[in-house]
């Protein structure tokens, strides 16, 4: 159905997506809500995030399949592959160039001054505010649209490598599940070993908050790497 090489690339991209604002930072903040853990609220949040990503993925794959079918081999030309290499290299270089110490400091200051997410958390974790929690999940995904490059690359791989829609939808579902797996694991750890994971969770919360910009740029860099690497392979400049 899909090659081992493509499956490995998708796994790396999914784990990269799992480190984003909506799939890890917000779940960690929700898990740090004072009082007892409400796992059903975390599951509702993560389920909504996965569902929104899944819907966006279907739309991206539909467009990708349209382009692939309509281009009739145009995307496989040397010129198109070189263009993909240039874009990937530019994204990779930009992720390093923009990730300066000053940028990290400004991002940390903005994150610490903003109380919006804290207010959302207080409302969202209340059993009487299901719409607020779902709204938080949708907003988190929409805020990430500009940095969805790994997901864009992944949906392109799925559209190209799978033989039809049933297989593509199944692979996409698996991708979304892997994407929320780290947050699910943290939720399980918070339930069964609260005292053991509470301090690491607090540290992770602080680190993610201070390095939100760096994490986003790192994700963009991974997407650029995959674009450039696959282009180099297609050109025959590096072995597969």
């Amino acid at each position: 159905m899909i090659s081992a090489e493509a499956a490995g690339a998708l796994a790396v991209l999914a784990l990269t997506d799992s480190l984003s604002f909506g799939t890890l930072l917000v779940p960690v903040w929700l898990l740090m809500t004072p009082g007892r853990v409400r796992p059903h609220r975390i599951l509702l949040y993560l389920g909504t995030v996965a569902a929104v990503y899944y819907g966006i993925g279907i739309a991206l794959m539909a467009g990708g399949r349209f382009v692939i079918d309509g281009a009739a081999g145009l995307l496989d030309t040397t010129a198109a592959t070189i263009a993909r290499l240039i874009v990937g290299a530019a994204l990779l270089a930009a992720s390093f160039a923009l990730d300066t110490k000053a940028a990290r400091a400004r991002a940390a200051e903005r994150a610490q001054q903003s109380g919006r997410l804290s207010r959302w958390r207080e409302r969202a974790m209340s059993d009487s505010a299901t719409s607020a929690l779902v709204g938080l999940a949708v907003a988190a995904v929409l805020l990430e649209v500009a940095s969805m490059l790994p997901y864009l690359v992944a949906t392109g791989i799925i559209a190209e490598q799978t033989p039809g829609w049933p297989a593509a939808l199944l692979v996409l579902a698996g991708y979304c599940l892997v994407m929320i797996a780290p947050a699910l694991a943290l939720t399980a750890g918070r339930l069964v070993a609260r005292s053991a994971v509470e301090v690491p969770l607090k540290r992770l919360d602080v680190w993610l908050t201070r390095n939100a910009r760096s994490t986003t740029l790192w994700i963009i860099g991974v997407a650029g790497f995959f674009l450039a690497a696959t282009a180099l392979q297609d050109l025959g400049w590096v072995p597969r």
Side-chain angles (χ1 to χ4, degrees):
M1 180 175 65
I2 189 170
S3 68
E5 181 183 355
L10 289 174
V12 173
L13 290 168
L15 290 174
T16 301
D17 267 332
S18 74
L19 300 176
S20 68
F21 171 80
T23 54
L24 190 60
L25 176 57
V26 175
V28 168
W29 276 357
L30 294 177
L31 285 171
M32 295 310 300
T33 303
R36 68 181 180 87
V37 182
R38 295 181 173 87
H40 62 288
R41 306 298 291 174
I42 305 295
L43 291 176
L44 175 60
Y45 171 85
L46 291 174
T48 303
V49 167
V52 175
Y53 262 99
Y54 193 69
I56 293 174
I58 292 173
L60 290 173
M61 287 196 304
R65 287 186 180 276
F66 176 79
V67 171
I68 290 172
D69 294 340
L74 180 62
L75 296 179
D76 294 328
T77 62
T78 300
T81 306
I82 291 176
R84 180 154 45 96
L85 172 62
I86 293 172
V87 171
L91 289 173
L92 184 59
S95 68
F96 283 101
L98 295 175
D99 189 18
T100 62
K101 184 176 180 179
R104 290 196 296 268
R106 288 194 298 270
E109 183 179 355
R110 288 196 300 269
Q112 291 171 351
Q113 289 177 349
S114 175
R116 181 180 304 174
L117 187 58
S118 297
R119 292 193 296 271
W120 279 353
R121 181 179 67 179
E122 293 174 3
R123 289 190 57 207
M125 291 305 286
S126 170
D127 288 332
S128 61
T130 297
S131 60
L133 183 60
V134 172
L136 173 60
V138 174
V141 175
L142 293 180
L143 285 172
E144 293 176 343
V145 168
S147 61
M148 275 187 179
L149 290 173
Y151 197 54
L152 181 62
V153 173
T155 54
I157 293 174
I158 296 172
E160 184 178 358
Q161 293 284 327
T162 53
W165 273 107
L169 294 176
L170 182 61
V171 174
L172 182 64
Y175 184 98
C176 292
L177 181 60
V178 172
M179 190 174 60
I180 64 172
L184 290 173
L186 289 175
T187 301
R190 184 78 160 81
L191 286 171
V192 302
R194 176 174 179 174
S195 59
V197 302
E198 190 166 6
V199 172
L201 274 177
K202 287 181 179 179
R203 290 176 179 172
L204 179 60
D205 181 12
V206 172
W207 186 88
L208 286 170
T209 300
R210 289 179 177 174
N211 295 278
R213 180 183 176 91
S214 296
T215 301
T216 300
L217 292 174
W218 182 78
I219 290 173
I220 292 173
V222 169
F225 169 80
F226 272 98
L227 280 174
T230 55
L232 287 172
Q233 290 178 338
D234 292 342
L235 289 168
W237 295 354
V238 297
R240 289 184 179 274

